[in-house]
């Protein structure tokens, strides 16, 4: 019994319904000859298939042709669909094979068109010799091209499925590679093997970016194929080749604009975890002092803050030691003299610059400097002490 016609389809969409059933026993004996003629034509018309049909490649092509012709020759006079489910798998497989061969669908579509022309020419000749009328030949032509459209659609679906599956698997491999890098303790052979399997060229140096988890949408496409992404509790981490030029740096900034990202310093790929550690430290530091803006923050522009805040307790000890002479002063006086001391150190004692920065008269500057000399004494003449004083004052201690 014929399979039921697809709901909504008309005889025009299944043109073989109008063909006489007598065509089938007439055409089937010619199937081997038509198969060889078709394969020869494809090899001639489509250069990528101009190779011996051997191995898995040859078996797939020959099976596809034989299944197609056998199925088609049994359609005249029926309302059967062009392909049954098991037949569709054959042509989906051909589409998947094109992905594995690294080719676009153009070659397979060209092969289908070449096969359609050859099949129509061969079968029409047999039908004409048997005395069938022109209307049958027209119906045969419509049937051949409608059938080829179904094969093409099945192959296109297989092609798309293979691409999707490969993309999903590659994404998983890239995410795992990113996680491997940012966790640290990397084993070079393991990383290079994982990178090769995922098709990710290992760069000499990378920067690691951290941003909030809710800013991930669209990030992979913005950063490009060279970026690796992984997630951690509350944030997203991207491993990106270190920009080697000003334009590359600008491109990365544009990709991260609006995401409140922090970009770690450049490191060799095997030290990516250190870039992430410093990016996270900078992010946390800036959250304490001021909110991270929409534009990306480069850790390389905040190294002094990292030095001053990286070991806060050590800086506190140094501040307690160096600023001890101010302990006996009233809070307001201590604050004023602390600000004056930092300005004096920064401007190397130039009173005009100090007055402008502090918003006071130069005479007042002189008065305060004299107070500082009375409080601190001769230690202000020691370069090492001046360096340590400036360090703790810039760290925010007064």
């Amino acid at each position: 019994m014929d399979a039921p016609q697809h709901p909504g389809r008309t005889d025009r969409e299944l043109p073989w319904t109008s063909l006489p059933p007598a065509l089938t026993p007439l055409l089937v004996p010619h199937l081997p000859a038509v198969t060889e003629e078709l394969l020869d034509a494809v090899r001639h018309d489509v250069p990528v298939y101009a190779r011996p049909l051997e191995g898995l490649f040859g078996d797939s092509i020959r099976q596809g042709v034989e299944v197609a012709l056998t199925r088609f020759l049994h359609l005249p006079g029926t309302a059967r669909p062009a392909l049954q489910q098991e037949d569709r798998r054959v042509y989906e497989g051909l589409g998947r094979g094109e992905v594995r061969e690294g080719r676009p669908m153009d070659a397979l579509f060209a092969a289908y068109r070449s096969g359609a022309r050859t099949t129509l020419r061969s079968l029409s000749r047999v039908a004409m010799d048997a005395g069938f009328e022109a209307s049958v030949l027209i119906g045969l032509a419509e049937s051949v091209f409608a059938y080829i459209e179904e094969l093409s659609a099945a192959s296109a679906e297989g092609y798309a499925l293979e691409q999707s599956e490969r993309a999903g698997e590659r994404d998983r491999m890239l995410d795992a590679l990113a996680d491997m890098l940012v966790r640290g303790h990397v084993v070079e052979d393991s990383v290079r093997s994982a990178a090769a399997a995922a098709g990710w060229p290992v760069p000499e140096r990378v920067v690691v970016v951290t941003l909030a988890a809710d800013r991930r949408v669209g990030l992979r496409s913005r950063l490009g194929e060279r970026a690796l992404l992984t997630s951690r509790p509350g944030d997203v981490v991207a491993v990106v080749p270190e920009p080697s030029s000003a334009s590359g740096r600008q491109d990365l900034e544009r990709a991260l604009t609006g995401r409140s990202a922090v970009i770690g310093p450049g490191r060799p790929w095997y030290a990516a975890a250190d870039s992430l550690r410093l990016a996270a430290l900078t992010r946390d530091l800036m959250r304490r002092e001021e909110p991270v803006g929409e534009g990306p923050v480069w850790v390389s522009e905040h190294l002094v803050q990292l030095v001053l805040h990286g070991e806060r307790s050590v800086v506190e000890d140094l501040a307690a030691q160096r600023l001890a002479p101010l302990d006996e002063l009233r809070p307001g006086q201590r604050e004023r003299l602390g600000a004056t001391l930092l300005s004096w150190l920064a401007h190397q004692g130039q009173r005009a610059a100090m007055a402008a920065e502090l918003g006071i008269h130069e005479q007042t500057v002189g008065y305060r400097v004299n107070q500082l000399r009375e409080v601190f004494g001769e230690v202000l003449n020691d370069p090492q002490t001046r360096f340590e004083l400036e360090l703790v004052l810039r760290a925010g201690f007064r």
Side-chain angles (χ1 to χ4, degrees):
M1 179 181 295
D2 292 346
Q5 189 170 333
H6 191 283
R9 280 185 171 171
T10 65
D11 288 352
R12 182 176 180 82
E13 292 174 305
L14 299 175
W16 46 83
T17 58
S18 63
L19 293 177
L23 275 177
T24 296
L26 174 69
L27 299 177
V28 166
H30 297 274
L31 190 150
V34 175
T35 297
E36 294 306 319
E37 189 176 351
L38 188 155
L39 290 172
D40 288 342
V42 168
R43 283 194 292 263
H44 178 270
D45 295 341
V46 188
V48 297
Y49 296 133
R51 57 170 167 158
L53 296 180
E54 300 171 348
L56 182 62
F57 169 80
D59 292 343
S60 296
I61 296 297
R62 185 173 293 277
Q63 181 191 19
V65 170
E66 290 175 351
V67 169
L69 287 176
T70 300
R71 180 70 184 166
F72 177 75
L73 293 181
H74 287 83
L75 290 178
T78 75
R80 295 171 184 161
L83 298 174
Q84 300 286 3
Q85 191 58 41
E86 61 272 19
D87 300 329
R88 288 190 64 83
R89 282 195 286 269
V90 172
Y91 301 101
E92 288 176 3
L94 290 178
R96 287 178 179 273
E98 293 301 283
V99 176
R100 294 166 190 151
E101 293 285 336
R103 289 191 292 262
M105 280 295 291
D106 298 358
L108 186 57
F109 287 154
Y112 281 146
R113 290 192 296 271
S114 172
R117 291 192 299 270
T118 302
T119 300
L120 179 60
R121 183 169 56 248
S122 299
L123 297 184
S124 296
R125 185 169 55 245
V126 173
M128 288 176 61
D129 291 345
F132 283 96
E133 299 178 352
S135 60
V136 173
L137 301 181
I138 293 172
L140 184 61
E142 291 179 347
S143 298
V144 167
F145 288 108
Y147 186 70
I148 290 298
E149 286 181 6
E150 293 286 337
L151 302 190
S152 299
S155 293
E157 183 176 350
Y159 190 91
L161 287 171
E162 182 73 15
Q163 282 187 317
S164 176
E165 290 169 8
R166 286 183 170 229
E169 178 60 24
R170 183 170 185 266
D171 284 347
R172 287 190 291 274
M173 295 171 68
L174 291 174
D175 288 353
L177 181 57
D179 189 63
M180 187 185 302
L181 290 173
V182 300
R183 284 182 180 275
H185 306 293
V186 297
V187 178
E188 181 171 0
D189 289 346
S190 298
V191 170
R192 292 197 180 278
S193 296
W200 188 70
V202 180
E204 290 295 322
R205 293 175 63 83
V206 298
V207 295
V208 180
V209 183
T210 180
L211 62 157
D214 60 359
R215 302 297 181 97
R216 177 167 184 158
V217 177
L219 183 62
R220 190 184 295 277
S221 62
R222 292 288 297 276
L223 291 176
E225 293 186 355
R226 294 296 306 280
L228 303 177
L229 295 183
T230 188
S231 296
R232 304 193 314 165
D235 64 358
V236 173
V237 172
V239 181
V240 184
E242 182 181 22
S244 58
S245 64
S247 61
R249 185 181 173 100
Q250 291 169 358
D251 289 343
L252 182 55
E253 286 183 348
R254 279 194 293 269
L256 294 171
T257 295
R259 297 177 186 268
S260 301
V262 178
I263 306 170
R267 290 289 187 270
W269 63 264
Y270 50 80
D274 189 55
S275 181
L276 173 60
R277 180 181 63 83
L278 293 174
L281 186 61
T282 302
R283 176 201 61 204
D284 295 342
L285 170 63
M286 297 195 70
R287 282 176 180 170
R288 289 199 302 267
E289 296 189 343
E290 56 182 283
V292 178
E294 288 298 295
V297 171
W298 293 84
V299 170
S300 58
E301 297 174 355
H302 297 269
L303 296 179
V304 172
Q305 291 94 317
L306 282 179
V307 170
L308 296 179
H309 293 273
E311 291 292 344
R312 189 69 175 176
S313 63
V314 174
V315 181
E316 287 175 356
D317 291 343
L318 183 61
Q321 178 184 335
R322 286 302 175 203
L323 298 178
L326 298 176
D327 289 346
E328 302 302 321
L329 303 178
R330 297 186 304 275
Q333 188 179 16
R334 178 186 175 100
E335 180 68 26
R336 286 193 298 273
L337 285 184
T340 302
L341 179 57
L342 178 57
S343 184
W344 180 76
L345 292 165
H347 296 292
Q348 299 180 346
Q350 297 179 26
R351 293 190 179 185
M354 292 173 62
E357 180 181 61
L358 297 170
I360 57 177
H361 195 276
E362 287 187 40
Q363 286 184 331
T364 306
V365 170
Y367 171 72
R368 290 188 186 178
V369 170
N370 288 334
Q371 283 186 299
L372 287 170
R373 289 196 177 278
E374 290 177 4
V375 171
F376 283 93
E378 292 298 319
V379 296
L380 290 182
N381 296 325
D382 177 45
Q384 178 66 27
T385 299
R386 290 199 301 270
F387 168 76
E388 293 175 0
L389 281 168
E390 185 172 2
L391 187 149
V392 296
L393 288 167
R394 289 191 179 278
F397 293 96
R398 291 288 191 273

